[in-house]
Amino acid sequence: MVKILVPFLLVRVLRGWLYPGTRRNLVRRRNNVKDICEVAEALGIELISKSGGYWSLCPFHDEKTPSFKLSPEKGVFYCFGCGAKGNAFHLTQKMRSCNFEEASSWLLSLSLLTTNNKTVPMVEQKEINEHELRLVLSALARYYAKSLSESVEAGAARMYLYDRGISPETTIKFGLGYAPSRSIGQISASRYFLQELQQKNVSISIPAIDAVGVKSFPKRDRFAERLVLPIRDPAGQTVGFGSRLLPQPTIYKKNVPKYVNSPVSSVFAKSRLLFGLDQAAPFIRQHDEAIIVEGYFDVLTLHDCGIRNVVAALGVTLTRFQIEHAARYSESRAVILLLDSDSAGNAATDKLCASLLPNLVQDAGLDVSVSHLKPFKDAADFVQSIRKHQDDAGLRSLFAQTILANKIPWEQRRDKVLLGDLFKPGAPNENGDQDVQRQREVDNNSIVVI
Ligand SMILES: [Zn+2]
């Protein structure tokens, strides 16, 4: 027994002395991935939420219905089709065909890893020049816009915009586009377009093309057959794209997300951008007030009928940065939160007023109020219904009246939330995290406050 134990202990002691903290650091690194869902999205995996988890078509085998499941609470993935499994590091390594250190380094470069710099050696990465990324993105934006106006297969997208009441002028102003489905062998249409540009000596590199995520799976463009909405910085430069599934697409089956965004890159961080800000900024200044809505189409339809001091968050989050950013263009730093009138929108507004705004308003000196457009679900619904029997001038005045009539200071909403909680002793907070999280699972396009 002693003969076995002594060498065993000796090896343990020696290993600890030679490589202090190796195992501990490894474990810590694995625990420091912020969110496997964010990692998956950054890798170009499109997620949908259903039955208590996040699902996707498996990136490692060919399939038509999603069997690839992510469990954010455990930080792992598992494919019921091919058995692929692991944590965020395994996923990154497999998707990017790299080793553990390179995966760590990549995750770190996108701020998807929180770590002490000493524990993760930075592997030198080929730096993708920000200028080059912007060049690729603006070339793509032009390509998508041209496809929308010219290509035969974009007919469904043009019809969709027409049905939603988006005029050609607004379409052009916002640079809306369409991503064609055409594939050249294994190369997606968008990628083929960029590689053609590259051959014409336009200075773009393959890593820059990869970074904008125009091809997420071997056989499919991330935005193929979708309406594409450029996300621009305040200066009007395209930094990424949002996209919307069109009714009855030909290549998709069920279970695909309605909205898909560009992957995270050095110029595209969803939590720091607002849709429509480049168009809205002068009008926020003029009206001395910014209106924040939930969806791309709320912004587009309001803008279309002349209500232009409006911006939207991208996807499911509304952050402190976004609210402050919208307020920056108003002299009195006035912001109206006009989220959807459904339960998810209400829960998000409650949560904002109860938890995020108290500090934000104090720190940043904002003047925030809350309003709604009930009985209409959202601004797009309001515009579409009212436009049937009002001209745009009438609509604008009705909109202003409705907003004003329903407007309350954020503190009043906060007090209502707190009072509501007081009268439910012992009951779970119905506006709390769990509820918002549940809503997120029900409707992946609803706002969640973070
Ligand atoms: Zn699989």
Side-chain angles (χ1 to χ4, degrees), residues 38-39 41-44 96 106-112 127-137 207-214 222 231 238-241 261-273:
E38 264 192 74
V39 172
E41 284 189 329
L43 288 164
R96 295 180 60 83
W106 182 78
L107 290 167
L108 204 60
S109 72
L110 294 177
S111 308
L112 293 170
E127 194 62 19
I128 303 162
N129 178 320
E130 200 178 303
H131 170 74
E132 196 180 10
L133 261 186
R134 286 175 184 270
L135 198 77
V136 170
L137 287 161
I209 296 176
D210 284 341
V212 300
V214 290
R222 153 185 296 253
I231 314 292
T238 302
V239 290
F241 300 99
N261 286 328
S262 288
V264 176
S265 74
S266 59
V267 294
F268 187 71
K270 276 193 279 187
S271 60
R272 300 177 75 82
L273 290 161

Side-chain angles (χ1 to χ4, degrees), residues 58 60-61 63 67-68 79 81-84:
C58 179
F60 308 120
H61 84 275
E63 63 176 354
S67 48
F68 184 79
C79 175
C82 68

Side-chain angles (χ1 to χ4, degrees), residues 18 24 29 56 69 86 118 125 159 171 174 192 230 239 245 303 314 325-326 338 358 378 395 419:
L18 281 171
R24 199 182 61 232
R29 269 181 263 168
S56 165
K69 187 186 180 189
K118 285 177 198 153
Q125 286 224 325
M159 184 54 80
T171 302
F174 282 82
Y192 181 73
V239 290
L245 193 66
H303 191 98
L314 313 180
H325 202 49
L338 187 67
D378 53 31
L395 187 145
L419 209 62

